[in-house]
């Protein structure tokens, strides 16, 4: 979050919490949600429900409704739509923007009866596009969202104008990341049992994280602990989906691969797998960034994506 805005919101929220007797770290969640709500309005985004066949998906939407082109942004595993808001602010002048909370993430509830593999999630994205009357879109996905973007490019090519894969899961990395080594040793860093575990995990997610006050980090730690069981189930479904290595040559939509070279969750060596496997795929890497370039450097990554989209209108 931007420090000046967060500082003001923290002061207001703490004053209210003292008066109302709100418990800590719930205050951190209230601060985060309030600050996000203010920022999204500043950036021209509004909250909206999208009802599909098996879920009521929450979203942020913005930009001209009659824009000729749409950009759909898909977050990663355990994440939510908030990670896109500053990045998205660079698109709302000229593009219609749709940012979804996938089932089991953010404000879209977890339903144990659903499947959470990337093919099922890709189908839900298409359903959401249908509900909103979006025939084709540029798809931008990070991590698991990048895997879903790859599935869309493969299985729904007629609905995908282009796809941007940001530190995308979905292929076998030639070199093991820190997370891959932990998983091989039987420890999933996303399964959080304490604040200390969360702080170690949070350090893995970004090389240059935006500033956040301690109360928000404590809230996020508690949220991961509360959601541990559902996140474990989602991870199993998503991680057991067949990877796309053997099908990359079947992808023919324009592809841009973005990667933070300091990514500790998905090794930078994955980027060349995507680039070499998909004809004419473009690759941009960021030496100083980690797993979430759109959050660590929203302006720089947005400018690179906008330049790519301009070539594929």
């Amino acid at each position: 979050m931007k420090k000046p805005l967060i500082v003001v919101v923290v002061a207001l929220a703490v004053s209210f919490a003292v008066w109302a007797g709100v418990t800590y770290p719930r205050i951190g969640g209230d601060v985060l949600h309030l600050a996000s709500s203010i920022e999204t309005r500043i950036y021209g985004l509004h909250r909206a429900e999208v009802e599909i066949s098996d879920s009521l998906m929450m979203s942020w939407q913005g930009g001209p409704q009659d824009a000729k082109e749409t950009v759909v942004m898909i977050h990663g595993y355990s994440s939510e739509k908030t990670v896109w808001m500053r990045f998205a602010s660079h698109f709302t002048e000229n593009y219609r923007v749709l940012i979804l909370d996938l089932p089991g993430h953010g404000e879209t509830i977890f339903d144990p009866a659903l499947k959470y593999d990337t093919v099922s999630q890709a189908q839900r994205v298409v359903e959401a596009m249908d509900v909103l009357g979006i025939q084709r879109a540029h798809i931008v996905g990070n991590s698991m969202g990048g895997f879903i973007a790859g599935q869309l490019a493969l299985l729904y090519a007629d609905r995908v104008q282009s796809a941007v894969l940001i530190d995308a899961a979905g292929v076998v990395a030639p070199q093991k990341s820190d997370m891959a080594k932990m998983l091989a040793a039987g420890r999933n860093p996303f399964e959080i049992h304490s604040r200390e575990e969360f702080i170690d995990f949070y350090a893995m997610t970004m090389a240059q994280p935006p500033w956040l006050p301690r109360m928000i980090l404590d809230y996020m730690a508690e949220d991961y602990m509360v959601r541990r069981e559902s996140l474990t189930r989602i991870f199993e479904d998503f991680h057991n989906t067949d990877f796309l290595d053997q099908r990359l040559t079947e992808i023919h939509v324009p592809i841009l691969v973005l990667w933070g070279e300091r990514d500790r969750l998905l090794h930078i060596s994955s980027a060349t797998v995507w680039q070499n496997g998909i004809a004419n795929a473009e690759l941009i890497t960021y030496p100083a960034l980690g797993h979430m370039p759109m959050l660590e450097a929203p302006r720089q990554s947005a400018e690179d994506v906008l330049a790519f989209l301009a070539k594929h209108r």
Side-chain angles (χ1 to χ4, degrees), residues 184-198:
R187 167 81 172 92
N188 186 341
F190 287 90
E191 294 181 7
I192 305 299
H193 299 80
S194 67
R195 182 183 185 278
E196 290 71 28
E197 285 187 1
F198 176 78

Side-chain angles (χ1 to χ4, degrees), residues 5-286:
L5 175 59
I6 271 291
V7 169
V8 172
V9 175
V10 166
L12 292 172
V14 170
S15 298
F16 174 78
V18 171
W19 174 78
V22 176
T23 58
Y24 182 90
R26 190 179 125 197
I27 303 170
D30 293 339
V31 170
L32 178 61
H33 298 143
L34 178 57
S36 297
S37 176
I38 294 170
E39 284 206 62
T40 51
R41 291 180 185 178
I42 292 171
Y43 300 150
L45 298 165
H46 65 274
R47 182 176 177 271
E49 298 177 347
V50 183
E51 187 171 2
I52 62 172
S53 61
D54 64 7
S55 303
L56 181 63
M57 298 175 73
M58 301 308 300
S59 73
W60 281 337
Q61 301 179 31
Q65 289 298 295
D66 60 352
K68 293 182 179 179
E69 298 176 87
T70 299
V71 179
V72 177
M73 301 177 186
I74 309 173
H75 61 74
Y77 164 69
S78 83
S79 189
E80 58 163 327
K81 59 186 181 298
T82 306
V83 298
W84 295 108
M85 63 182 178
R86 291 187 180 171
F87 176 89
S89 70
H90 300 280
F91 294 79
T92 51
E93 182 177 352
N94 296 311
Y95 293 90
R96 183 180 179 184
V97 173
L98 171 63
I99 308 173
L100 294 167
D101 271 341
L102 296 171
H105 297 79
E107 295 184 281
T108 304
I109 66 168
F110 170 78
D111 181 347
L114 298 184
K115 295 180 179 179
Y116 294 91
D117 59 277
T118 56
V119 172
S120 297
Q121 298 284 40
Q123 291 171 343
R124 294 183 182 111
V125 173
V126 171
E127 273 198 66
M129 290 170 61
D130 288 341
V131 168
L132 296 171
I134 300 170
Q135 182 57 38
R136 296 179 75 219
H138 301 284
I139 309 295
V140 183
N142 171 239
S143 195
M144 180 187 72
F147 192 172
I148 294 167
Q151 296 281 21
L152 288 164
L154 175 67
L155 303 173
Y156 300 93
D158 61 323
R159 308 299 300 272
V160 179
Q161 194 165 344
S162 72
V164 180
L165 314 179
I166 305 178
D167 294 65
V171 297
V172 178
Q175 299 181 51
K176 287 186 178 297
S177 66
D178 288 352
M179 181 179 76
K181 294 173 184 176
M182 292 178 70
L183 290 171
R187 167 81 172 92
N188 186 341
F190 287 90
E191 294 181 7
I192 305 299
H193 299 80
S194 67
R195 182 183 185 278
E196 290 71 28
E197 285 187 1
F198 176 78
I199 294 303
D200 289 343
F201 161 74
Y202 188 70
M204 295 177 68
T205 64
M206 289 173 279
Q208 296 189 35
W211 181 84
L212 290 175
R214 174 169 176 165
M215 66 169 59
I216 289 181
L217 292 173
D218 285 350
Y219 162 75
M220 293 169 67
E222 183 177 82
D223 184 58
Y224 265 83
M225 287 185 277
V226 168
R227 294 191 297 144
R228 186 170 63 242
E229 184 176 337
S230 63
L231 287 176
T232 298
R233 161 65 195 287
I234 293 169
F235 186 85
E236 290 171 354
D237 281 10
F238 134 64
H239 219 249
N240 288 329
T241 310
D242 289 340
F243 278 14
L244 299 179
D245 300 70
Q246 303 305 314
R247 303 198 65 184
L248 295 181
T249 57
E250 300 174 44
I251 296 176
H252 301 294
V253 305
I255 297 289
L256 172 63
V257 179
L258 299 183
W259 219 282
E261 294 183 20
R262 295 175 62 188
D263 191 336
R264 296 177 60 193
L265 298 181
L266 297 172
H267 197 273
I268 178 63
S269 60
S270 296
T272 55
V273 176
W274 287 105
Q275 183 189 29
N276 294 337
I278 301 173
N280 302 313
E282 301 179 33
L283 172 63
I284 297 174
T285 66
Y286 303 109

